[in-house]
Amino acid sequence: MAMVKLLTHAVELRHLRYFVAAAEHGSFRKAGSAIGVQQSALSRRIRDLEHHLGAALFHRHSAGVSLTFAGQRFLRRARQILRSVGDGMLDVAAIGRSEHGLIRIGIYSSIASGFLPELLRRYGNQYPKVQIDLIDDNPAEHVTSIRQLKLDAAFVTGEREWPDCERVSLWSERVFVVLPEDHRLVERDEVGWDQLAKENFIVNEAPPGQEIHDYLVQRLAALGHHPEIRVQHVGRENLLPLVALNRGLTAVSEAMTAAQFPGISYRPITGEVLPFSALWSSKNDNPALLQFLELARSMGRSNDTDAVTAAFSTIEVSAEPLKMPDQLQ
């Protein structure tokens, strides 16, 4: 074992490269010319290699060189080592350029339409070999995973600062009430909280059901009403059909309005605008994350954001949005 360690430290990659070149060209002079090394330097390094290995690798003669039996056996191993190192360097370089890799993204809002799916589409087009894993959970769980470096980034609602997390605001969405298509408020272009004060609401048990519940209570309590809100033990995909069955109204962010279900209508709630932010850890050195955040910031700064939201309704909202809770679907 001690001898193996000694040889490993003594032999350098250039020794192997010079040896393989000489074996392939059958001449120290031709090998040196091919790889840009003086013949004398190449010959000296191969002698060093033979000294460290304790075996002659070449027969030297006037016409050039030829491999000894030991040299023939060593050539295959030397090529394997050089190929393995080369492949490893290419892999690492590709990861550094974000051409390969994995990025884990926590989501809390819908990816049916809007900024987030457009960001994912653009990133996937630019870095098609980077695997994107999406994890749907509540913000508190996302933050815990970010701190533990189990999650690269998360998109959450609100502008709250989370300890041990970096944050950047990226986009905003309006808040919509979901109505049965025969509801009296469907005739209106937008709906005020005073018109919703006496309505019954439903939320689902899973996130963001509790946040929607708290949001509705906060808004309607300001008008002196305590709404009746029933918890439904269904997923998001089944909550909206329950609205169509007149089980109650609910609220969603703008991106969710791209999801069409029979028997329901969406109407914006006057003045309600919901900001969205990205969270990540400054300790995370994943190159794919850095490129992802750069693209997200660029989209957030540019006027392209207007194009991203073109699929949404163009109903005008208040110029001074109300303060929003930190989480909402």
Side-chain angles (χ1 to χ4, degrees):
M1 182 62 68
M3 178 61 70
V4 172
K5 290 183 178 180
L6 177 62
L7 289 175
T8 302
H9 288 299
V11 176
E12 301 174 6
L13 286 177
R14 60 175 176 169
H15 290 115
L16 301 181
R17 188 162 62 91
Y18 294 173
F19 163 68
V20 170
E24 291 176 345
H25 289 85
S27 164
F28 289 169
R29 179 182 60 80
K30 293 179 180 179
S33 177
I35 62 177
V37 177
Q38 291 289 331
Q39 177 182 344
S40 58
L42 185 142
S43 178
R44 186 164 56 252
R45 293 294 174 260
I46 290 179
R47 283 200 304 270
D48 292 341
L49 177 61
E50 290 175 320
H51 172 73
H52 291 311
L53 295 176
L57 299 175
F58 289 102
H59 295 295
R60 279 98 167 153
H61 44 77
S62 58
V65 296
S66 59
L67 289 169
T68 64
F69 178 75
Q72 294 174 17
R73 294 287 300 273
F74 188 61
L75 178 62
R76 179 172 60 87
R77 297 299 181 89
R79 283 173 170 163
Q80 289 176 343
I81 292 171
L82 291 174
R83 187 182 305 113
S84 178
V85 172
D87 290 345
M89 292 177 66
L90 290 175
D91 285 345
V92 171
I95 291 173
R97 295 191 300 269
S98 300
E99 293 176 1
H100 299 280
L102 167 67
I103 184 168
R104 298 151 299 183
I105 305 298
I107 59 174
Y108 190 62
S109 66
S110 171
I111 58 172
S113 65
F115 183 97
L116 185 51
E118 179 66 12
L119 170 61
L120 294 173
R121 184 190 66 80
R122 293 191 189 185
Y123 185 81
N125 288 342
Q126 291 187 31
Y127 306 100
K129 295 184 179 180
V130 175
Q131 178 180 336
I132 303 175
D133 286 353
L134 299 180
I135 297 91
D136 198 347
D137 211 332
N138 63 62
E141 294 298 327
H142 285 332
V143 168
T144 298
S145 296
I146 287 173
R147 291 170 179 161
Q148 297 173 351
L149 302 182
K150 296 179 180 179
L151 200 63
D152 292 302
F155 295 97
V156 299
T157 56
E159 296 182 325
R160 170 182 172 182
E161 298 295 341
W162 297 82
D164 302 320
C165 287
E166 304 296 319
R167 184 188 69 82
V168 61
S169 297
L170 291 174
W171 81 97
S172 296
E173 297 179 16
R174 290 169 294 178
V175 180
F176 283 66
V177 62
V178 187
L179 305 165
E181 63 181 4
D182 58 354
H183 195 279
R184 59 183 176 82
L185 295 176
V186 169
E187 300 301 322
R188 303 186 63 87
D189 290 336
E190 61 182 30
V191 178
W193 284 115
D194 57 333
Q195 297 162 327
L196 297 171
K198 296 182 180 180
E199 298 287 344
N200 296 326
F201 291 88
I202 57 174
V203 297
N204 55 344
E205 183 180 33
Q210 184 60 49
E211 286 72 23
I212 295 176
H213 178 284
D214 296 344
Y215 164 77
L216 292 169
V217 169
Q218 175 189 348
R219 287 296 184 264
L220 294 172
L223 299 176
H225 296 276
H226 187 79
E228 180 179 346
I229 305 174
R230 294 188 297 272
V231 177
Q232 305 294 314
H233 302 281
V234 298
R236 295 187 200 181
E237 69 281 0
N238 286 322
L239 186 67
L240 299 190
L242 288 179
V243 174
L245 296 175
N246 289 296
R247 299 290 295 275
L249 313 185
T250 194
V252 297
S253 65
E254 193 166 9
M256 188 62 185
T257 62
Q260 298 299 315
F261 294 89
I264 67 169
S265 295
Y266 301 97
R267 292 296 180 270
I269 301 176
T270 305
E272 295 290 338
V273 178
L274 185 63
F276 282 80
S277 301
L279 303 177
W280 72 96
S281 171
S282 61
K283 298 178 181 179
N284 193 324
D285 62 354
N286 183 354
L289 170 64
L290 302 181
Q291 297 291 348
F292 187 78
L293 292 173
E294 181 179 346
L295 178 59
R297 286 193 181 100
S298 175
M299 287 178 56
R301 288 192 303 263
S302 72
N303 292 328
D304 288 346
T305 303
D306 294 333
V308 170
T309 58
F312 295 147
S313 172
T314 56
I315 299 171
E316 188 175 3
V317 298
S318 170
E320 296 183 1
L322 301 177
K323 182 180 179 181
M324 300 295 293
D326 284 331
Q327 294 93 25
L328 178 65
Q329 156 63 30

